[in-house]
Amino acid sequence: MTQTTAAPNQGRLSLTTILAFACTSLPLSALGVAISVYLPRYFASHIGVELAVVGAVFATVRMIDIPLDPALGMIMDRTRTRWGRYRLWTVIGTPILMLALLMLFQAPEGSGRLYLGGWLLVMYLGTSILGLSHSAWAATLATNYHERSRIFGVMTAVGVLGSVLVLAIPILLEQRGMTDAQSVQAMGWFVIALTPIAVLFVVARTPERITVDLHTGHFTLKEYWGLISRPNIIRILAADLCLSLGPGWMAALYLFYFKDARGFSTTEANILLAVYILAGFAGAPAIGWLAARISKHRAVMVATTGYSLMLMMVGFLPKGAMGLALPAMFAAGFLAAGFGVMTRAITADIGDEVRLEGGKERIGLIYALTVLTAKVAGAFSIFLTFTVLARVGYNAKEGAINSAQAIHNLELAYLIGPIVFVMLGGACFIGYKLDATRHGEVRRQLDERDALYDEAAIIESVTAEPANVVPRPPH
């Protein structure tokens, strides 16, 4: 399927188009839950890798992986094929991810740190390719300020479905008498099967337009520094780091906390996590609705404040009280769903601002930088929390009995980290100026410039003479 060259409709995209495009979110979100909540614990408790070693391997791989995302982003932005730009990379990433998942979730007992680290690196390559191409493609699919909130809201809601489906696996299999390890392995097979089906829907049903670069040539180190030193880029990267670190910290300790500190069974803990994620079905569009009325950055600040309050409430509830924990976890998940929706939509807006002023498409690179911060956050959260728990005497082995002091330290680690970082993430948007009015002016100038180049291309095709169009500078 060739890319669509006409300018996208500035009105609302059809819901069927958005739903088809959002399918990539199904396996990526399902994998996000499996990797952050289950896989580290699986390698520590079932495969037999020491707790601190698991944390160190995850952190090391993330750090090795850091330069990969900016490089991929720049390559994607420069890609031009008859199949499109981001569509091609979506197809490339699929088999890479599937192979890595097979090796990780079916790892033989006794596999060591080198096995874990090597296949984690391959897996992160696959997820980087799929995630970057999906987000960057979304930014070109929807160009309107409010339409971006809508499309990223639908993407998040579809991702919630993937997360809930993968969470249902251990709940159902436990009822059939299967072990935690068998449940984790079944999660891997589920994501492996889901990935090619989802990608097929995306590449077959979604149009793609390749934007025009005002300037050509290689991306220099000076240009790279100019990009990452922009105030709005610094702001979104800092916010994304904090808003990834908070929930990532919580995810790394989730099962330990709810089973050992809050007194819930594995099934109850999984049900609570499913409710937390399922709340995103309502939370993602609701935060998008709120953003249309008070602006995206203010919606983030509202969501982060409410999330922190809900998380504190969970810590004060009676142990094992499902009836009280369910609404609290639903409220926290409802608000957390807005983090990714708004930051990704805001990133797309900033990408328009960068393209207007610099004359080049850099949205792939910008999303790569945000993915980079998320990877740093993921590595830091797993490394720090697992290392701290190991040093205070917490034993992660199946059936182990921990001291009251170790459980208390687990509670502190679970609550303090997420609350502090999420509130810092919301505070990053104090003073942010790129609201609907300002972005509307940016898009107006971009559309005028793109139309000018489209007209020049038509003139050249008819007359076989250069149109000699000189674009107006941004104002």
Side-chain angles (χ1 to χ4, degrees):
M1 177 179 180
T2 58
Q3 77 270 16
T4 299
T5 57
N9 191 338
Q10 293 301 306
R12 289 169 66 87
L13 295 164
S14 69
L15 183 59
T16 54
T17 297
I18 296 177
L19 286 173
F21 175 74
C23 283
T24 302
S25 298
L26 284 169
L28 288 180
S29 296
L31 180 60
V33 173
I35 291 296
S36 61
V37 178
Y38 293 92
L39 192 66
R41 186 173 182 269
Y42 171 74
F43 268 86
S45 61
H46 179 71
I47 301 301
V49 184
E50 293 182 6
L51 190 64
V53 172
V54 172
V57 169
F58 269 82
T60 301
V61 170
R62 286 293 200 182
M63 299 308 291
I64 294 173
D65 192 36
I66 282 176
L68 177 65
D69 292 293
L72 282 173
M74 287 189 284
I75 293 171
M76 287 182 187
D77 287 336
R78 295 175 63 86
T79 299
R80 293 175 180 274
T81 74
R82 63 184 298 269
W83 297 98
R85 170 182 281 156
Y86 305 117
R87 174 183 284 108
L88 174 65
W89 283 99
T90 298
V91 174
I92 291 173
T94 301
I96 297 174
L97 178 60
M98 292 172 65
L99 174 62
L101 294 182
L102 176 65
M103 302 307 293
L104 284 171
F105 284 89
Q106 303 301 318
E109 292 188 30
S111 299
R113 66 184 72 189
L114 292 179
Y115 183 98
L116 173 60
W119 286 110
L120 275 178
L121 194 59
V122 178
M123 185 207 70
Y124 285 134
L125 172 62
T127 55
S128 290
I129 293 174
L130 280 179
L132 283 176
S133 59
H134 197 220
S135 294
W137 193 349
T140 61
L141 185 63
T143 59
N144 180 272
Y145 180 87
H146 296 304
E147 188 68 3
R148 279 178 173 161
S149 297
R150 178 170 173 250
I151 191 172
F152 281 111
V154 173
M155 287 165 59
T156 300
V158 170
V160 167
L161 176 60
S163 300
V164 171
L165 289 174
V166 81
L167 275 174
I169 293 173
I171 295 174
L172 295 175
L173 294 187
E174 186 181 20
Q175 303 302 316
R176 299 190 172 209
M178 294 190 178
T179 65
D180 289 347
Q182 290 173 319
S183 296
V184 174
Q185 292 165 355
M187 286 179 172
W189 283 117
F190 173 76
V191 179
I192 290 170
L194 183 60
T195 299
I197 298 172
V199 166
L200 179 62
F201 270 97
V202 175
V203 300
R205 297 293 304 276
T206 310
E208 182 182 358
R209 176 190 181 226
I210 298 181
T211 56
V212 176
D213 282 348
L214 183 60
H215 304 296
T216 58
H218 295 292
F219 191 54
T220 66
L221 185 61
K222 181 179 179 181
E223 288 179 293
Y224 183 81
W225 174 250
L227 175 67
I228 63 175
S229 62
R230 294 174 63 94
N232 276 346
I233 294 293
I234 294 173
R235 188 189 298 273
I236 193 64
L237 292 180
D240 199 67
L241 175 65
C242 292
L243 295 178
S244 299
L245 184 55
W249 188 306
M250 186 185 80
L253 298 180
Y254 178 83
L255 288 177
F256 299 128
Y257 175 76
F258 273 84
K259 290 183 66 176
D260 291 354
R262 305 310 303 163
F264 293 103
S265 67
T266 300
T267 298
E268 290 172 334
N270 285 325
I271 290 173
L272 287 173
L273 183 58
V275 168
Y276 173 90
I277 295 173
L278 189 60
F281 268 126
I287 299 300
W289 175 88
L290 180 64
R293 282 147 184 81
I294 67 173
S295 74
K296 296 171 187 173
H297 65 287
R298 293 190 182 94
V300 174
M301 296 167 73
V302 170
T304 53
T305 302
Y307 175 87
S308 298
L309 292 174
M310 289 300 102
L311 205 59
M312 284 190 289
M313 181 180 296
V314 171
F316 288 103
L317 296 177
K319 293 184 178 182
M322 280 290 288
L324 297 176
L326 283 170
M329 290 297 288
F330 180 89
F334 181 96
L335 294 164
F339 299 170
V341 174
M342 291 299 101
T343 54
R344 284 188 287 174
I346 290 171
T347 301
D349 296 342
I350 294 173
D352 284 342
E353 184 181 55
V354 169
R355 185 163 78 90
L356 177 64
E357 297 179 8
K360 294 182 180 180
E361 180 64 88
R362 294 299 178 214
I363 191 63
L365 175 58
I366 295 171
Y367 273 116
L369 293 173
T370 62
V371 170
L372 184 151
T373 61
K375 288 186 176 182
V376 171
F380 184 70
S381 61
I382 294 175
F383 172 73
L384 180 61
T385 53
F386 275 33
T387 300
V388 168
L389 291 185
R391 291 187 176 180
V392 299
Y394 183 83
N395 190 343
K397 295 290 184 181
E398 294 176 355
I401 299 176
N402 287 281
S403 67
Q405 184 60 46
I407 297 299
H408 177 68
N409 290 332
L410 169 64
E411 292 177 315
L412 292 177
Y414 181 84
L415 293 175
I416 293 175
I419 291 171
V420 169
F421 283 105
V422 164
M423 289 302 295
L424 285 175
C428 288
F429 291 104
I430 297 174
Y432 181 73
K433 301 296 185 183
L434 190 56
D435 57 10
T437 302
R438 168 58 185 157
H439 181 261
E441 177 61 19
V442 169
R443 279 308 317 179
R444 183 188 67 78
Q445 294 183 49
L446 279 175
D447 292 340
E448 286 181 358
R449 193 173 72 190
D450 290 346
L452 193 65
Y453 272 82
D454 289 341
E455 180 181 348
I458 294 173
I459 293 173
E460 290 182 16
S461 67
V462 173
T463 65
E465 295 291 338
N468 295 324
V469 174
V470 178
R472 291 180 299 173
H475 54 272

